[in-house]
Amino acid sequence: MIATLRRPLAPRDPHEQHRVASPLELFTDLCYVVAIAQAALTLEHEIVHGKPGHGLVWFCVAFFAVFWAWLNFVWFNSAYDPDDTIHRMLTLLQIFGSLVLAAGVPDIFHEDFTLGVIGYVIMRIGLVLMWLRAAAGHPERRRTALRYVYGLVSVQAVWVAALLVTDGHLPLWLFVVAIALDFAVPVWAESAGTTPWHPHHIAERYGLFFIIVLGETILSVTLALRTAFAEEDPPFELWYVVAGGVLVTFCAWWLYFARENGEILTGNDVGYTWGFGHYVIFAAAAAVGAGLSARIAFYGHHAEVSDVVSSAFVTGPVAAALAALWLVNVRLHDASARTAVPFGAAIVAAVAVTFVPVSELWVGLICVALLAVEVWLTTRAPDVTGPA
């Protein structure tokens, strides 16, 4: 569609047929994954150089910064997307801010949020202007839109003030406090009236983002393998990483798309849990790539961590992803024992094989077994939609 300069910003129909992600939304997702790649690469560096605990904590922090920025744009665009020139320019401004954030991701691991906050300021300028357009174009939700404006501006002012006071080096407790304020904005704003987001469009946006994150995971492992196999005598165990990585990644894709997500997004009560819970799913998928790369370094005797520690960064994220997938997705379709038991067993088994040689292969086989059960359930058994 060729964009006009300006269209009236009316709300999109939440029941619109055949609503799909636009090319600009896909481009946005791709740019945000640049920041995710930076987070995963830095996590791998921290693991390999003997700082796994530090790396894990700050990976979670950095990944949340990326995820939260992406999430805010996704839900706005589902409710209001005129696809005119002004909207495209404001979206590109947010994309530019995400690239600044991506450049600052490695600094976050050193507790320096300077570039991250600057990136957020740029993104928030674009998002606030979007909400002002929504306030003008959707009188029924003007109060909601203005609450988003007031909330985003106020919280961003807190971030900037914290940055100035701490000279860019925010302690973890202050980050948690600021994030809590950020979390409060959509809850407060939506209490004045729900924005008309489209459930199937939201589900598609999340699904496409998950695919891109999986692609980044495959890329990171491929590059690590290329480096390892370039050595004079590459260890045979690298083939276990190949097999395990392929099984985990392919099963992750299939398990995620085994059920229709749009059907369960019936309102904000479900949407909040489902939308925010994907933080764990996305972060775990990215962390698996870092863990597999660390395993390659371990087998090549280039890592300063033990077998168990490097193994835990593969099995742990897999277990976390399966737990989150059941809690925010599968459970809302079918909360009975027939899904809880196989997922619970797979999670326990994934943690247990951390202490077994070539754990990456075993955890891949565990995922295959779980997938076999899910395929049987979704093709043979009726779906019981609804929360526990």
Side-chain angles (χ1 to χ4, degrees):
M1 180 186 294
I2 299 175
T4 59
L5 177 62
R6 182 180 180 278
R7 288 192 179 96
L9 197 147
R12 297 289 293 259
D13 180 2
H15 305 292
E16 179 183 339
Q17 295 294 314
H18 311 298
R19 175 81 184 274
V20 295
S22 68
L24 182 56
E25 288 174 323
L26 295 175
F27 181 53
T28 303
D29 292 349
L30 183 63
C31 292
Y32 273 99
V33 171
V34 173
I36 291 176
Q38 288 292 310
L41 181 63
T42 311
L43 174 60
E44 176 201 348
H45 182 273
E46 293 280 299
I47 299 169
V48 169
H49 288 83
K51 298 184 287 184
H54 179 271
L56 178 61
V57 169
W58 291 102
F59 170 80
C60 292
V61 169
F63 195 95
F64 187 85
V66 178
F67 172 75
W68 187 248
W70 174 83
L71 178 146
N72 276 265
F73 171 74
V74 167
W75 288 80
F76 173 89
N77 226 46
S78 187
Y80 306 99
D81 179 13
D83 195 30
D84 56 14
T85 300
I86 295 176
H87 185 78
R88 291 185 178 186
M89 293 297 293
L90 292 176
T91 301
L92 292 174
L93 177 63
Q94 292 190 66
I95 291 175
F96 174 67
S98 75
L99 297 179
V100 175
L101 171 63
V105 162
D107 295 336
I108 291 176
F109 282 75
H110 301 291
E111 304 176 40
D112 184 353
F113 287 80
T114 304
L115 274 178
V117 172
I118 292 173
Y120 253 83
V121 169
I122 296 170
M123 288 186 286
R124 290 312 192 216
I125 290 172
L127 189 60
V128 165
L129 291 175
M130 285 180 170
W131 278 114
L132 286 172
R133 293 192 71 195
H138 190 193
E140 293 83 359
R141 290 292 178 267
R142 176 179 173 82
R143 189 180 175 195
T144 300
L146 289 178
R147 281 192 176 190
Y148 270 109
V149 171
Y150 302 146
L152 289 170
V153 171
S154 300
V155 173
Q156 199 56 49
V158 170
W159 280 103
V160 172
L163 186 75
L164 295 174
V165 169
T166 62
D167 195 27
H169 291 75
L170 274 65
L172 187 59
W173 69 267
L174 186 54
F175 174 85
V176 173
V177 170
I179 284 298
L181 294 175
D182 250 320
F183 255 120
V185 172
V187 176
W188 175 59
E190 296 282 336
S191 65
T194 303
T195 49
W197 48 269
H198 193 291
H200 290 279
H201 176 250
I202 287 289
E204 184 186 31
R205 289 298 308 280
Y206 273 71
L208 292 172
F209 197 70
F210 183 63
I211 290 173
I212 295 174
V213 173
L214 288 180
E216 185 279 325
T217 297
I218 292 173
L219 176 61
S220 64
V221 175
T222 300
L223 293 176
L225 282 170
R226 179 179 175 85
T227 301
F229 278 116
E231 295 184 0
E232 187 173 325
D233 187 21
F236 181 80
E237 288 86 354
L238 294 182
W239 292 109
Y240 294 126
V241 179
V242 172
V246 167
L247 291 177
V248 167
T249 306
F250 288 5
C251 289
W253 171 83
W254 200 325
L255 286 167
Y256 185 89
F257 291 101
R259 300 172 188 267
E260 174 55 57
N261 288 330
E263 296 175 354
I264 59 177
L265 297 177
T266 55
N268 276 357
D269 53 342
V270 176
Y272 284 142
T273 302
W274 188 90
F276 295 153
H278 270 72
Y279 163 71
V280 178
I281 296 175
F282 292 159
V288 166
L292 289 168
S293 297
R295 288 295 281 171
I296 292 170
F298 170 78
Y299 286 132
H301 306 290
H302 300 305
E304 299 175 18
V305 290
S306 67
D307 185 6
V308 171
V309 171
S310 61
S311 173
F313 277 87
V314 177
T315 59
V318 170
L322 293 179
L325 181 62
W326 187 83
L327 284 170
V328 307
N329 187 345
V330 177
R331 179 180 63 88
L332 300 178
H333 288 275
D334 182 357
S336 69
R338 62 182 182 173
T339 63
V341 170
F343 268 87
I347 293 164
V348 171
V351 174
V353 298
T354 302
F355 308 96
V356 175
V358 296
S359 59
E360 60 276 1
L361 177 59
W362 285 109
V363 82
L365 294 173
I366 290 167
C367 289
V368 171
L370 177 61
L371 177 60
V373 175
E374 263 291 88
V375 169
W376 185 86
L377 287 174
T378 54
T379 57
R380 301 290 184 87
D383 185 89
V384 184
T385 303

